[in-house]
Amino acid sequence: MAKFRFLSFFYSNKAFLIYWLIVFLASFFILFAHSIKFLDPDFGWHIRIGKDIIQTGNVPTIETYTFPTSGDSWVDHEWLSNYFLYKIYSSGTYGYWILGGISALIITLTSLIVVILTKKVILPRADPWKFFFFGSLLQYFNIYALLNSFGIRLQILSWFFTIILCGIFLLSHLYKKYWLLLFVPLLMLLWANLHGTFFLGLFCITIFSLFSVFAAKKPLKVKMLYLVSWIISILITLATPYKTKLWKLVLEDYTQNRGYLMQIKEWLPMYAAPYIEWFSGLFISFFVALFLIGVLSKVIKINKTSLFCFVFVFGMLALSIQSRRFLPFFVFLSYPISLFILLRIFPDVIIKKWINIFLVVLFFSVIPFKIQYIKTVPFDLFRQNIDSSPYSALLFLQSHHEFRELNLYNPYGWGGYLDWMWPEKQIFIDGRMPQKPLANGNTYLEEYFTLRQEDTMREKFEEYDIKFVLIPPSRPHKKAGKIERHILENFFLVDLDEFNKEEPIYSFLRENWKEVYSDNTAIVYLHPSVELQ
């Protein structure tokens, strides 16, 4: 096998350097334009926590943002990320755009690492031009499959770290670069302080280490190195401000009651109503069809290493179907297999005919179009009256001092926005602790929904002494097309008419409370016992 030379296939031909630059530059602009137009519901509380950490010099341990759990202990498994988010966001007018650029750069870099590993480790003898053509097409298919999950969101760090881990173990196994294992514990130390998904990293390390120790023929000292790296990686994740409390959060609170998996959109199955993730479904269908073609055409050969990779990738595929949150991992991990099959089933003549057209379309349409679009995006999404930021309604609430002293019921998706934009006000819920167990046996998120259910809302409004409600207007979900309706109703037994009925909370508020403010984004209802000055 040829000696590994990092990045050599990019500069072996000057044309490749320019062509790949165009590909990844276009990828960056697609991701960047998407990130700055989208205000993640959790972004507000992330930067609020970052600001509090800087002002107090301590990580948060006691709840102060929400009144139902005020005074309870809590663990911020993203404390270091929140610190950096606030530092960058508050650096100036372009802070949000800088974060969008960093997010786009992380995923572009992740894609680049996948491409390099595929070419230099998995497909070292592939024709460079053929690899470029199909690799580029697949790259853009992947980028668009990621967009529904992408934004200025901390979960993208887990995508990046997972690919880094896979690369380290792939290089150590195939190229005997065992010194790379020394970086695994350092990576896990950083991951454990940046994001709670470090347990996914520990799972990957465990699988890779067991494979290297028991399935691979390696010297005893090498096997010991894998074991030592694995043990240190586990222990080093305790080196956070929360120590064992972080493990308790992930192993206990997130696993004892998993109702949030069926109530938060990004955790829902791929096929969940009221609509199907069509592009994600297309991506998965494409991979499965391509894999079957590879098997039937005998392009794919099974050995110990390839079998391990297939099981790993298809395991992630199963998780992606069960929960949309795992799709990005599958997107990156499926790239080498998809490209391997494509390179072997398509003739070279396709490359000569289409490669120039592909580059011209990419350079003269995608990049200029995205740059022009970026110019139309406002710098501060917090002060725009859009679905994710009820700015005008907030101005109304802040203009009446009475609201500051009254208990508020707010939408789950607006909690982070209110945490940042109305910091002096304790709210009902935000996105930090959906799985938190309450004294009555419900999780926090389940308790939130009891205030929207017809048989419990009146009692719960009185229990929490709710005096005003901030809520978006009642809108039906998008109308399903004939094909989509047929699939949902006949294959998944979903009653779309029932699903699109107005929630009981709207009729309850209209009939019993006073509407004191409304616009296209938000409505404010006030308890009849309260009068505004």
Side-chain angles (χ1 to χ4, degrees):
M1 189 173 289
K3 185 179 178 182
F4 180 78
R5 294 183 179 86
F6 191 69
L7 288 177
S8 63
F9 81 101
F10 283 112
Y11 57 76
S12 58
N13 185 308
K14 290 183 179 180
F16 277 129
L17 183 61
I18 298 173
Y19 293 164
W20 280 109
L21 179 62
I22 293 173
V23 167
F24 285 103
L25 193 62
S27 298
F28 173 83
F29 276 109
I30 291 171
L31 292 165
F32 177 62
H34 183 81
S35 67
I36 62 172
K37 77 170 184 179
F38 171 70
L39 182 61
D40 185 76
D42 293 333
F43 183 73
W45 64 257
H46 280 302
I47 56 176
R48 166 82 182 275
I49 292 172
K51 182 179 181 180
D52 289 348
I53 290 173
I54 290 173
Q55 290 181 339
T56 64
N58 295 300
V59 297
T61 56
I62 302 298
E63 172 57 32
T64 58
Y65 298 176
T66 58
F67 67 84
T69 58
S70 182
D72 290 356
S73 63
W74 79 285
V75 172
D76 179 16
H77 64 79
E78 301 157 320
W79 73 272
L80 188 57
S81 295
N82 294 333
Y83 171 87
F84 286 119
L85 279 180
Y86 174 72
K87 288 287 286 185
I88 297 171
Y89 177 76
S90 61
S91 62
T93 305
Y94 296 93
Y96 191 78
W97 280 32
I98 293 172
L99 287 171
I102 293 172
S103 300
L105 186 61
I106 288 173
I107 300 308
T108 303
L109 181 59
T110 305
S111 300
L112 176 62
I113 292 171
V114 171
V115 170
I116 293 172
L117 289 172
T118 302
K119 180 64 178 72
K120 299 301 296 184
V121 179
I122 301 173
L123 300 170
R125 297 183 179 86
D127 176 75
W129 288 104
K130 195 172 182 180
F131 180 91
F132 169 77
F133 181 68
F134 285 110
S136 300
L137 288 176
L138 198 58
Q139 160 74 4
Y140 287 106
F141 197 23
N142 288 4
I143 289 296
Y144 280 101
L146 292 171
L147 287 185
N148 279 345
S149 304
F150 176 75
I152 304 176
R153 313 183 68 192
L154 296 182
Q155 66 176 1
I156 67 174
L157 294 173
S158 60
W159 312 349
F160 177 67
F161 289 144
T162 299
I163 295 304
I164 293 292
L165 274 180
C166 290
I168 288 175
F169 280 95
L170 194 62
L171 293 175
S172 67
H173 177 71
L174 295 179
Y175 286 90
K176 299 181 179 180
K177 295 182 176 293
Y178 303 121
W179 57 270
L180 290 172
L181 296 173
L182 300 174
F183 291 99
V184 174
L186 296 177
L187 179 66
M188 293 311 304
L189 174 63
L190 181 62
W191 195 343
N193 284 278
L194 287 172
H195 201 264
T197 53
F198 71 92
F199 261 85
L200 177 62
L202 291 180
F203 173 77
C204 292
I205 293 171
T206 301
I207 297 298
F208 293 145
S209 298
L210 290 175
F211 172 80
S212 299
V213 170
F214 295 107
K217 295 180 180 180
K218 297 183 183 298
L220 179 60
K221 64 179 182 180
V222 172
K223 293 184 177 183
M224 291 301 297
L225 181 59
Y226 277 100
L227 286 175
V228 170
S229 176
W230 173 58
I231 293 171
I232 295 176
S233 296
I234 293 174
L235 295 177
I236 206 167
T237 58
L238 295 171
T240 74
Y242 297 102
K243 300 181 175 62
T244 57
K245 290 182 180 179
L246 182 58
W247 276 60
K248 179 182 180 296
L249 172 72
V250 178
L251 290 180
E252 188 173 314
D253 291 355
Y254 273 104
T255 57
Q256 284 187 344
N257 188 320
R258 299 186 292 175
Y260 65 94
L261 297 178
M262 298 305 296
Q263 293 168 323
I264 300 177
K265 179 182 175 182
E266 66 176 345
W267 285 102
L268 293 175
M270 198 72 68
Y271 48 81
Y275 55 87
I276 301 172
E277 292 279 0
W278 283 109
F279 194 87
S280 301
L282 175 64
F283 182 89
I284 289 175
S285 301
F286 168 77
F287 173 80
V288 173
L290 199 59
F291 186 82
L292 291 175
I293 291 172
V295 172
L296 295 175
S297 62
K298 298 182 179 180
V299 165
I300 293 178
K301 296 180 180 180
I302 305 297
N303 54 43
K304 286 184 178 180
T305 301
S306 64
L307 180 61
F308 171 78
C309 293
F310 295 150
V311 170
F312 190 70
V313 171
F314 273 91
M316 197 60 70
L317 171 60
L319 288 174
S320 300
I321 295 173
Q322 181 61 33
S323 176
R324 303 170 191 184
R325 192 178 177 93
F326 290 99
L327 179 68
F329 299 99
F330 171 71
V331 169
F332 287 118
L333 294 173
S334 65
Y335 181 91
I337 298 176
S338 299
L339 187 54
F340 176 84
I341 300 170
L342 285 171
L343 292 178
R344 280 159 175 75
I345 64 176
F346 283 99
D348 294 349
V349 67
I350 293 179
I351 315 304
K352 298 176 182 179
K353 185 176 181 180
W354 293 104
I355 194 166
N356 291 327
I357 297 175
F358 168 67
L359 285 167
V360 168
V361 170
L362 184 66
F363 186 75
F364 290 104
S365 63
V366 174
I367 296 177
F369 175 77
K370 291 300 178 182
I371 292 175
Q372 187 61 36
Y373 173 80
I374 288 168
K375 294 179 181 179
T376 67
V377 179
F379 291 131
D380 190 355
L381 294 180
F382 281 113
R383 288 173 171 77
Q384 307 297 317
N385 218 39
I386 54 180
D387 288 345
S388 55
S389 54
Y391 182 58
S392 297
L394 177 64
L395 291 179
F396 168 78
L397 293 173
Q398 291 175 326
S399 68
H400 293 80
H401 69 276
E402 297 95 332
F403 288 113
R404 183 172 176 177
E405 306 303 324
L406 302 174
N407 283 354
L408 159 71
Y409 179 77
N410 62 277
Y412 177 78
W414 284 352
Y417 177 82
L418 295 172
D419 281 335
W420 175 248
M421 294 295 290
W422 203 4
E424 64 274 17
K425 175 68 182 173
Q426 282 194 327
I427 62 175
F428 186 84
I429 194 171
D430 54 31
R432 289 172 298 135
M433 300 181 289
Q435 81 298 334
K436 180 180 175 62
L438 302 179
N440 61 10
N442 286 340
T443 64
Y444 205 167
L445 191 62
E446 288 171 335
E447 189 73 356
Y448 162 79
F449 282 111
T450 62
L451 277 81
R452 306 178 79 92
Q453 296 167 4
E454 189 171 11
D455 57 340
T456 56
M457 69 174 66
R458 188 180 297 273
E459 174 190 344
K460 288 295 182 179
F461 269 70
E462 292 178 359
E463 178 184 339
Y464 287 104
D465 194 28
I466 303 296
K467 295 302 182 183
F468 74 104
V469 175
L470 175 67
I471 197 169
S474 176
R475 297 189 184 102
H477 295 282
K478 73 165 190 170
K479 187 177 180 180
K482 290 183 178 180
I483 296 176
E484 191 170 19
R485 175 177 283 272
H486 177 77
I487 293 173
L488 288 171
E489 292 182 341
N490 294 284
F491 287 89
F492 300 113
L493 305 179
V494 174
D495 186 345
L496 287 177
D497 294 330
E498 181 68 26
F499 200 94
N500 279 322
K501 281 185 176 179
E502 183 180 73
E503 287 187 83
I505 191 173
Y506 286 98
S507 58
F508 171 78
L509 291 172
R510 279 197 302 266
E511 294 169 8
N512 299 284
W513 290 43
K514 298 181 293 185
E515 180 183 308
V516 294
Y517 177 86
S518 68
D519 60 29
N520 292 330
T521 303
I523 303 175
V524 177
Y525 288 99
L526 185 65
H527 192 275
S529 66
V530 181
E531 294 292 337
L532 291 182
Q533 298 298 322

